[in-house]
Amino acid sequence: MNIFKAFASLEHVGGMDMEYTSSRRELMAQFLKYGRKAGLAVLPAFLGKAYGQTATVDPAIEALNLSLANGYLQFHLYNNAIENFSKLIPDAMKPSIIRLRDQKQSHINMLIKAVESVGGTPLSAMPYSAFNYARISANVNTDLNIFLRTAMLIEDLGVRTCKGALPEVMGHAEALAPLIRIHTVLARHAAYIRISINGLQISNFKQLRPWQSNRRTDAGVVDDTNYNDSTVGAYSTIYYRDNATLQNAENKTTQGGVQIRGINGVTEITATAAAEAFDEYLLPVTAKGVANNLFINTGFKLS
Amino acid sequence: MERDLQEAQNYNIVDKSLRRRQFLIYSGLTAAAATLAACKKDAATANTVYVNDGLTIDFKDDVGLLNTLYACCQLQVAFCNRLAELTTLGWTTVQVTYLNEIRLHELAHSEFFKSFLGITALSSLSFDFPGIDFSSRETTLTAAANFQNLAVAASNGILARCTERGYLVIVAQIATVEARHAAWLQEQIAAGSSSDLGALQAWDADAQRSLDVAVTPEKALELMKPYMKTELKIVNK
């Protein structure tokens, strides 16, 4: 459904204007005839080329390669720790971290195939040296606290990036199918990392949730204006919005034009619960910029 | 209402007459829906009107997909409400807090679909949970995780069939939240189990290729059926 056509067709319904002052019967007749379009007319303004990028490269290829780059970013953090810093990960956590690393290796393989399936050239393999993992601290491989917090940023970015990639790959069933099923695995990984950070019970993270949420104090007081529960301001772009029109920071409480906070009189759905219930995407153009700025070294930056 | 309109305007839509339409949609639609639902002879034919009698999942377009997820979210709400009654099972404080937050998320999903789908929505369905053992945390958490994994699987099957970008985005935004729920619940049952895709074969997870669960919307409805007291009409499968 072309959203603008749907609106245009609502405008001129049998010569009648859609005034609220119409009689109830006329109003119902309008909805009866165009009810479905009216009910579902308000969609997120995620309309592909709406963000004005001139597409010299197929957006599907771009989006898949961006997800692939994220795959390398994630893989190397874990792989390097497992292979080269055997004292970093506690025994109880090792099987999970190894499994995350292995699953990310599989995802890389799947994404390479996916790019090829839509006629693209996969990104050249990115080595560990392509990435800067030391942004929170140089102790990323010797301090479990720093390692996990770095992992959290990278996983959270990965989920948003993959989510923003999905619409670009619509129409390419062979590539979309694996991307869909990689996307929710990333969310499981992200949750596991967050649960592990909470398990350390370090200052400022004692109330960290498995779901992306607003900042909470260690006493549990939530600030629903603070969408960055990683506590690191320099990384806030991971949790922020694409632009002023989309207003899609992670503390957003409207979805598809519907206000979720207090929806239908359910007052126990607070702004934070409303924000938590829906994970946000990042447009590929934004996600690429965030990855380049925060994690990718010169010489490897995505163009 | 004014704030909703402002936020709706933020979606790159600035036409004044559209603002009026949106006011009609949000203020008038659910009332109209309630009235229309009671008038069976006004019910839709396939070519003209789409007014759901409240029990129909029609797969002729994406609305059937969204209603499938709506049914799944309603099931989740009902189960979470049942869980909330089990106050003597010895939950930790964190478990009580998080289980409640999961319940609020599911309620948010369910109410979202009710509003978003308007007159095309299923009605409020009734559920019960025969055969689920509510006597221990472990069995209860296992059931909870199963329902979350079902929701992820249903979402992923729906995502593969969506034809509208906007609906795909909404479903994707819910899918990852359910996956996070499932991960947390699994970690409560057995630490380290949250990434074990090999344990999720009931919903077709592929451990070898590290791909998550996904079932067709039809299969998702079949899996929900034992818990639904209301019988749904499924058309155009």
Side-chain angles (χ1 to χ4, degrees):
Chain A
M1 171 180 80
N2 180 314
I3 187 174
F4 297 110
K5 274 200 189 132
F7 292 145
S9 68
L10 283 172
E11 178 77 72
H12 307 293
V13 173
M16 271 193 280
D17 207 356
M18 297 269 276
E19 288 289 349
Y20 187 61
T21 51
S22 290
S23 73
R24 185 135 191 89
R25 184 192 302 262
E26 281 169 351
L27 189 65
M28 281 167 55
Q30 303 298 347
F31 285 126
L32 197 64
K33 192 161 184 203
Y34 291 93
R36 175 175 148 245
K37 284 182 181 171
L40 301 180
V42 184
L43 303 178
F46 192 122
L47 298 173
K49 312 270 192 308
Y51 52 86
Q53 203 178 28
T54 50
T56 50
V57 184
D58 181 345
I61 297 171
E62 284 275 275
L64 288 164
N65 266 328
L66 178 59
S67 299
L68 178 56
N70 270 271
Y72 287 118
L73 169 63
Q74 294 157 25
F75 168 80
H76 282 300
L77 175 68
Y78 298 117
N79 189 60
N80 176 63
I82 291 162
E83 300 299 326
N84 300 322
F85 293 91
S86 57
K87 289 195 279 253
L88 175 67
I89 314 282
D91 287 346
M93 234 182 247
K94 255 197 185 119
S96 290
I97 298 292
I98 289 171
R99 191 186 288 132
L100 260 60
R101 185 272 310 268
D102 292 347
Q103 290 179 345
K104 289 173 190 304
Q105 174 70 78
S106 288
H107 293 165
I108 286 168
N109 295 340
M110 292 301 307
L111 288 165
I112 288 169
K113 289 200 183 99
V115 173
E116 288 167 347
S117 81
V118 301
T121 305
L123 273 182
S124 306
M126 298 174 85
Y128 178 80
S129 56
F131 303 110
N132 181 352
Y133 295 110
R135 295 291 299 275
I136 296 183
S137 162
N139 295 341
V140 58
N141 292 315
T142 51
D143 180 336
L144 181 64
N145 171 340
I146 302 296
F147 174 80
L148 289 174
R149 287 176 56 204
T150 306
M152 174 180 153
L153 297 169
I154 288 169
E155 296 288 358
D156 286 348
L157 176 61
V159 175
R160 285 194 85 175
T161 301
C162 196
K163 199 183 302 290
L166 287 172
E168 303 304 325
V169 186
M170 282 177 89
H172 302 282
E174 204 184 320
L176 183 61
L179 191 65
I180 286 168
R181 298 168 70 192
I182 287 170
H183 167 243
T184 48
V185 174
L186 295 180
R188 295 179 194 268
H189 292 178
Y192 174 76
I193 295 299
R194 283 164 165 270
I195 290 164
S196 301
I197 293 171
N198 183 300
L200 296 182
Q201 285 291 286
I202 51 187
S203 287
N204 297 322
F205 293 95
K206 295 186 184 179
Q207 298 277 352
L208 185 70
R209 297 300 196 255
W211 26 94
Q212 205 289 320
S213 185
N214 295 323
R215 185 88 61 87
R216 282 180 172 84
T217 66
D218 286 343
V221 176
V222 70
D223 176 1
D224 62 28
T225 67
N226 190 336
Y227 49 80
N228 180 359
D229 59 355
S230 80
T231 78
V232 189
Y235 290 89
S236 62
T237 46
I238 293 171
Y239 305 96
Y240 195 42
R241 64 192 194 194
D242 281 300
N243 54 55
T245 303
L246 288 176
Q247 292 282 352
N248 57 336
E250 284 282 7
N251 64 342
K252 173 160 154 307
T253 59
T254 54
Q255 299 296 334
V258 178
Q259 175 59 259
I260 308 296
R261 172 183 38 80
I263 184 175
N264 296 335
V266 183
T267 52
E268 61 176 339
I269 299 176
T270 58
T272 292
E276 287 171 353
F278 295 82
D279 280 338
E280 292 300 319
Y281 60 81
L282 271 179
L283 292 176
V285 60
T286 312
K288 187 194 296 186
V290 172
N292 276 340
N293 290 340
L294 297 184
F295 296 114
I296 302 180
N297 292 326
T298 310
F300 296 95
K301 289 198 193 275
L302 307 172
S303 57
Chain B
M1 186 59 67
E2 201 40 52
R3 185 159 169 177
D4 293 337
L5 286 172
Q6 276 172 25
E7 272 151 358
Q9 271 204 322
N10 286 339
Y11 286 99
N12 212 19
I13 295 163
V14 294
D15 179 51
K16 253 199 308 192
S17 59
L18 181 58
R19 281 193 59 168
R20 192 170 66 238
R21 277 186 220 110
Q22 288 167 352
F23 179 73
L24 295 175
I25 289 163
Y26 299 130
S27 65
L29 196 52
T30 48
T35 315
L36 288 166
C39 304
K40 289 219 170 124
K41 63 183 176 172
D42 289 323
T45 64
N47 289 333
T48 55
V49 188
Y50 194 133
V51 178
N52 202 327
D53 62 4
L55 299 172
T56 301
I57 296 196
D58 188 341
F59 285 119
K60 71 174 180 343
D61 58 26
D62 283 16
V63 172
L65 302 175
L66 298 180
N67 264 321
T68 300
L69 191 51
Y70 180 28
C72 193
C73 292
Q74 286 196 48
L75 167 62
Q76 301 261 52
V77 171
F79 188 76
C80 287
N81 286 339
R82 184 80 185 84
L83 268 186
E85 295 168 4
L86 305 170
T87 53
T88 59
L89 290 186
W91 305 105
T92 65
T93 314
V94 169
Q95 286 172 337
V96 171
T97 302
Y98 285 19
L99 286 170
N100 186 55
E101 286 177 15
I102 290 174
R103 181 181 66 82
L104 292 176
H105 301 160
E106 302 306 344
L107 198 47
H109 297 159
S110 188
E111 294 297 319
F112 163 77
F113 280 119
K114 182 175 172 181
S115 293
F116 189 71
L117 291 170
I119 59 176
T120 67
L122 292 173
S123 60
S124 289
L125 308 172
S126 302
F127 301 90
D128 61 14
F129 300 101
I132 292 181
D133 179 0
F134 289 108
S135 66
S136 77
R137 287 193 307 279
E138 194 194 337
T139 53
T140 308
L141 287 167
T142 300
N146 288 345
F147 285 128
Q148 293 289 341
N149 282 313
L150 170 55
V152 178
S155 299
N156 284 350
I158 285 164
L159 285 168
R161 294 243 300 249
C162 276
T163 61
E164 300 283 350
R165 288 174 73 105
Y167 306 155
L168 178 138
V169 169
I170 285 169
V171 173
Q173 296 190 181
I174 291 172
T176 48
V177 175
E178 310 292 37
R180 296 171 187 271
H181 291 166
W184 179 75
L185 288 161
Q186 284 167 225
E187 289 293 320
Q188 304 311 297
I189 299 162
S193 66
S194 60
S195 52
D196 183 4
L197 295 174
L200 304 182
Q201 282 167 18
W203 307 277
D204 297 342
D206 181 339
Q208 205 197 4
R209 297 186 301 163
S210 306
L211 298 179
D212 211 333
V213 298
V215 299
T216 63
E218 293 83 0
K219 170 115 189 247
L221 288 164
E222 259 179 58
L223 292 171
M224 289 185 240
K225 200 166 173 187
Y227 311 103
M228 282 188 173
K229 284 155 76 171
T230 326
E231 175 115 20
L232 295 180
K233 286 178 277 187
I234 300 165
V235 295
N236 290 316
K237 310 194 240 205

